[in-house]
Amino acid sequence: MHHSTILSLALAVSPLAVLARGNLGYAVGARKPDSNCKSTTDYEADFDALSSKGGLGGVKRVRTYAVVDNALPDKLCQVASAILPAAKAKGFQVILGLSADTGAAYDSEKATLATVLTSDYASTVYALTVGSESLYREVDACELLPRIVDARSTFGNIVKRVGTVDSWNKFADGTADPIITGNCDGKASVPGITFLLVNAFGYWQGQDINNATATYLDDLQQAIGHIQDLAGLNTVEIMNGETGWPGDGGSNHYSAIASTKNEERFFKTGVCTMLALGVDVFYFEAFDESQKPLSKADTGELRDETHWGAFYDNRTPKFSLVCPTFG
């Protein structure tokens, strides 16, 4: 492990304060193993498993990807209306995703959310994220920014944080700069976005498990450092929006070998280190999703994404989700 990387990241996250442990959360899917949509009761069962066996004395935060899951167009899942009552009943907080790769997608998601999100859920919805790796899929930042600003205006009386989530390299290489600064066409026309989730995976970098944690930490250091340099005195809340490793049955990706043994190792080294540095982490993902289609890597190659859960799809943990240094 690169100790200089860990020190640099620690200083980037909190240069003056004593670091508090970060919070662990999980990404949760919208469907059951048979591809049917999860109900409120299903989400309640998910939350019971996460709070009792998800590590760190009980997990109480999850994130989603869309208001309506349209992975199967003939079987749409109403995510927000199903998950919010469950989260409120179980004392969970949700970072709720809105699809926003196109204006039409965003408008549809916004209209649906407006029928669901009431002040009753003000303490349940921790944040809204508009778009999920939209920049990674080559949506222009100045196209995405007005949708984030619109969501902030529309739902800001209920939700305190509205932002976006993208791959670490889109923050590190300047692609996301207009979102951070509110500056499109050479002028800062709106306040910059101050809630950002940064995704980073040693696996998708094709790293051997022996170098996966160092790569993960270095990638996040680059992204967080650039965001903070650009934001200046503006306070930006930054979380690790996704990280993880596929277990047994998953696809290998170059030197990254899918196995439950490697998944556990990455959790206990990479995830636990990031939490110890005071960064909130969302593990991708909570439960295996055997119904998911293949995922396309940067190279265009297809990879299995059904075995990424920290839990099997029957809600049984694959390994002890305990960090060696703080439980």
Side-chain angles (χ1 to χ4, degrees), residues 189-232:
S189 55
V190 296
I193 302 306
T194 57
F195 182 76
L196 300 171
L197 269 61
V198 181
N199 296 348
F201 291 84
Y203 169 86
W204 285 118
Q205 296 276 60
Q207 294 294 316
D208 181 273
I209 189 63
N210 293 308
N211 196 47
T213 289
T215 298
Y216 164 64
L217 294 173
D218 186 65
D219 290 349
L220 281 175
Q221 176 195 332
Q222 292 181 57
I224 293 173
H226 183 79
I227 291 168
Q228 294 185 333
D229 286 346
L230 202 61

Side-chain angles (χ1 to χ4, degrees), residues 255-272:
S255 297
I257 305 302
S259 74
T260 301
K261 180 180 178 181
N262 283 347
E263 182 179 9
E264 179 178 14
R265 181 173 171 184
F266 181 75
F267 182 92
K268 291 184 181 297
T269 57
V271 173
C272 291

Side-chain angles (χ1 to χ4, degrees), residues 12-273:
V13 172
S14 185
L16 299 177
V18 176
L19 293 173
R21 189 187 75 192
N23 296 300
L24 176 64
Y26 287 88
V28 292
R31 297 178 187 273
K32 297 185 287 187
D34 63 4
S35 295
N36 285 318
C37 301
K38 288 182 180 178
S39 66
T40 296
T41 301
D42 293 318
Y43 282 117
E44 287 179 344
D46 286 351
F47 296 157
D48 284 342
L50 293 174
S51 62
S52 63
K53 302 173 184 176
L56 305 190
V59 168
K60 289 292 184 179
R61 190 180 292 170
V62 297
R63 61 167 297 223
T64 67
Y65 294 88
V67 175
V68 179
D69 179 273
N70 62 0
L72 298 175
D74 60 341
K75 193 183 293 184
L76 301 179
C77 293
Q78 300 295 327
V79 178
S81 61
I83 198 171
L84 292 182
K88 184 176 181 180
K90 296 295 181 176
F92 268 65
Q93 289 185 312
V94 180
I95 295 182
L96 197 62
L98 286 81
S99 297
D101 283 1
T102 67
Y106 169 71
D107 289 343
S108 176
E109 291 268 283
K110 172 186 168 183
T112 301
L113 184 59
T115 68
V116 177
L117 185 57
T118 67
S119 59
D120 290 343
Y121 295 118
S123 61
T124 300
V125 180
Y126 185 84
L128 299 178
T129 52
V130 180
S132 180
E133 296 191 339
S134 295
L135 305 183
Y136 174 78
R137 287 191 291 275
E138 300 186 349
V139 175
D140 187 86
C142 289
E143 182 182 349
L144 181 61
L145 177 60
R147 296 169 194 157
I148 305 171
V149 172
D150 181 70
R152 185 167 61 183
S153 174
T154 302
F155 301 109
N157 61 324
I158 298 174
V159 182
K160 295 179 181 179
R161 305 164 184 86
V162 179
T164 193
V165 51
D166 226 294
S167 178
W168 71 273
N169 55 310
K170 296 304 176 182
F171 291 106
D173 69 9
T175 302
D177 285 3
I179 290 171
I180 301 166
T181 63
N183 186 339
C184 286
D185 301 322
K187 58 181 181 180
S189 55
V190 296
I193 302 306
T194 57
F195 182 76
L196 300 171
L197 269 61
V198 181
N199 296 348
F201 291 84
Y203 169 86
W204 285 118
Q205 296 276 60
Q207 294 294 316
D208 181 273
I209 189 63
N210 293 308
N211 196 47
T213 289
T215 298
Y216 164 64
L217 294 173
D218 186 65
D219 290 349
L220 281 175
Q221 176 195 332
Q222 292 181 57
I224 293 173
H226 183 79
I227 291 168
Q228 294 185 333
D229 286 346
L230 202 61
L233 296 177
N234 294 329
T235 300
V236 180
E237 185 174 357
I238 306 168
M239 299 180 178
N240 178 199
E242 280 185 353
T243 195
W245 197 277
D248 293 345
S251 298
N252 299 333
H253 187 56
Y254 298 100
S255 297
I257 305 302
S259 74
T260 301
K261 180 180 178 181
N262 283 347
E263 182 179 9
E264 179 178 14
R265 181 173 171 184
F266 181 75
F267 182 92
K268 291 184 181 297
T269 57
V271 173
C272 291
T273 297

